[in-house]
Amino acid sequence: MLGLGRTTVYRLLREEAFPVPVRRTGRSWVVPTSGVLSYLGLEIPSTSSAITGGCGCGARTNTTEEG
């Protein structure tokens, strides 16, 4: 989404120069979607629509049936 290659991303993470806020969880990096959307100037979906998969991007849609 940001147009950066893997090597560049890890270099920026090491140098603490990544363009969006990130956090380290164990040996992994977590890049919150809201930070990326904000950086790109896109609308951040409300919490309720993000939970139900209503952001329109198709990611993490609610596929379980209640009943």
Side-chain angles (χ1 to χ4, degrees), residues 22 29 35 40 49 58:
V22 296
W29 292 95
L40 295 173
S49 66

Side-chain angles (χ1 to χ4, degrees), residues 9 16 27 57:
V9 167
E16 298 181 3
R27 295 181 64 187
C57 65

Side-chain angles (χ1 to χ4, degrees), residues 51-53 58-66:
I51 291 172
T52 60
R60 295 190 181 201
T61 56
N62 188 357
T63 59
T64 60
E65 292 183 25
E66 299 202 20

